[in-house]
Amino acid sequence: LKKEKNAIILAHNYQTPEIYHGIADFAADSLALAVEAAKTKADIIVMCGVHFMAETAKLMSPQKKVLLPDMNAGCSLSSSITGEDVRLLKKKYPNVPVVSYVNTSADVKAETDVCCTSANAVKVVESLGVKKVIFLPDDYLAKYVASKTKVEIIPWKGTCIVHEQFTAKEIKEIKKQNPGIVVIAHPECPPDVINASDFAGSTSGMSDYVKKNQPKKVMMVTECSMSDNVQVENPKVEFIKPCNLCPYMKKITLPKILDCLENESNEIIIPTNLLEKAKLSVERMTAIGR
């Protein structure tokens, strides 16, 4: 069906293995998916991820048909802030540039100077050459960035429903039960969780760490399907899995993917004026790279 319709399936790292390893033409973190969306020669992009990712693919490929297998695949971070919230913040802090995590709606991206991912957040903030930035919407990622730069960070109180569940106590217990284990955390986790871990990095950074270092035993403090996917690629590493699933990512299933491709349903539509404004912030992010 993909061949027949000249379609490509993009899958995020948090998708289940039968999607990630089974049917995806390209599987990666959100920045790499945005870049791939822009490069593809396909007529149809099926985004196996959440709504903001499908919107980002549309921003990068406005002439292509972008489909999302389930329109209810949202994100707690994305829904924590609106374009109007950003406009009010800009009034409160005039002339302070806005850096928005890619986990935001097109409406928010349109009010943003430049987007970032967890992989390049510090680099993006420092690339602006200013003393102060508004950083949206993840409060914990903002704290992580603030710990890595001298730039003053004005945060927003959004959180990821997966990463905020982890606790430092849980990490310490796992370490006690598994001597020698390496714990690697996502920067969307609370600061005490990051401090209790051995390494903090984006989804791509975590995956690269395991590939490069091949620890005997590892715990990835993030969405648990990611551990499944990375384990397939690193069979000699033993994974201890703290299973916090993203309910939104898990709305994407094989039957829904087939249905949306057969019927070309759940198309992402973004008004042209909004698309043009939002696209600029994503293009600036991809120009900065990792």
Side-chain angles (χ1 to χ4, degrees):
L1 192 58
K2 282 193 294 182
K3 282 179 186 169
E4 192 183 299
K5 298 205 172 203
N6 189 26
I8 188 171
I9 293 180
L10 305 182
H12 188 262
N13 288 323
Y14 297 168
Q15 290 297 308
T16 50
E18 74 274 12
I19 295 170
Y20 184 93
H21 291 290
I23 60 161
D25 297 290
F26 190 82
D29 64 6
S30 50
L31 176 60
L33 292 180
V35 172
E36 200 61 28
K39 287 196 303 196
T40 179
K41 299 284 193 288
D43 296 313
I44 296 173
I45 296 170
V46 180
M47 177 58 75
C48 297
V50 293
H51 197 275
F52 77 79
M53 293 178 186
E55 278 193 334
T56 306
K58 183 66 177 177
L59 296 178
M60 299 300 283
S61 299
Q63 73 288 4
K64 298 186 190 307
K65 187 178 273 192
V66 177
L67 309 176
L68 180 65
D70 189 324
M71 283 298 207
N72 292 316
C75 168
S76 62
L77 281 173
S78 184
S79 61
S80 75
I81 191 163
T82 64
E84 179 58 24
D85 291 328
V86 186
R87 287 190 284 276
L88 291 170
L89 272 174
K90 290 200 284 192
K91 276 185 189 169
K92 189 176 176 183
Y93 302 101
N95 303 316
V96 177
V98 177
V99 177
S100 289
Y101 196 19
V102 78
N103 301 33
T104 46
S105 66
D107 190 32
V108 168
K109 288 182 175 77
E111 300 295 333
T112 294
D113 293 288
V114 59
C115 285
C116 73
T117 68
S118 53
N120 68 4
V122 176
K123 191 176 178 183
V124 167
V125 165
E126 295 191 333
S127 75
L128 297 171
V130 294
K131 291 181 179 176
K132 188 187 291 187
V133 303
I134 297 166
F135 190 94
L136 315 167
D138 190 289
D139 190 33
Y140 293 140
L141 182 59
K143 285 182 168 68
Y144 175 78
V145 172
S147 74
K148 301 288 180 187
T149 180
K150 289 179 179 164
V151 179
E152 184 188 338
I153 304 293
I154 300 164
W156 182 258
K157 289 289 180 189
T159 53
C160 165
I161 57 171
V162 172
H163 294 102
E164 70 178 351
Q165 293 178 48
F166 294 105
T167 64
K169 186 184 175 192
E170 181 184 4
I171 308 298
K172 284 165 187 165
E173 281 297 315
I174 294 275
K175 283 191 163 188
K176 197 187 288 180
Q177 292 161 15
N178 299 272
I181 191 170
V182 175
V183 177
I184 56 181
H186 193 280
E188 284 176 32
C189 292
D192 59 342
V193 170
I194 292 172
N195 292 336
S197 303
D198 302 296
F199 173 80
S202 64
T203 49
S204 57
M206 297 168 91
S207 177
D208 291 345
Y209 181 95
V210 175
K211 280 179 199 164
K212 186 178 168 188
N213 295 286
Q214 292 291 295
K216 284 185 180 173
K217 197 181 277 193
V218 72
M219 171 170 145
M220 301 178 82
V221 189
T222 188
E223 214 275 352
C224 90
S225 285
M226 179 155 171
S227 292
D228 294 333
N229 295 327
V230 177
Q231 184 171 30
V232 171
E233 294 156 357
N234 297 275
K236 291 177 183 172
V237 179
E238 184 185 345
F239 284 76
I240 303 297
K241 296 172 193 171
C243 211
N244 288 342
L245 288 166
C246 173
Y248 302 114
M249 285 284 184
K250 296 302 171 272
K251 286 182 183 291
I252 309 299
T253 63
L254 287 174
K256 286 179 187 175
I257 296 165
L258 179 61
D259 182 70
C260 101
L261 192 51
E262 280 176 339
N263 299 302
E264 296 183 26
S265 53
N266 296 346
E267 185 179 356
I268 300 295
I269 307 288
I270 304 173
T272 307
N273 59 336
L274 182 68
L275 189 146
E276 290 304 322
K277 283 180 75 182
K279 188 182 180 187
L280 282 173
S281 61
V282 180
E283 286 176 338
R284 287 176 188 138
M285 168 186 75
T286 55
I288 292 165
R290 290 193 192 284

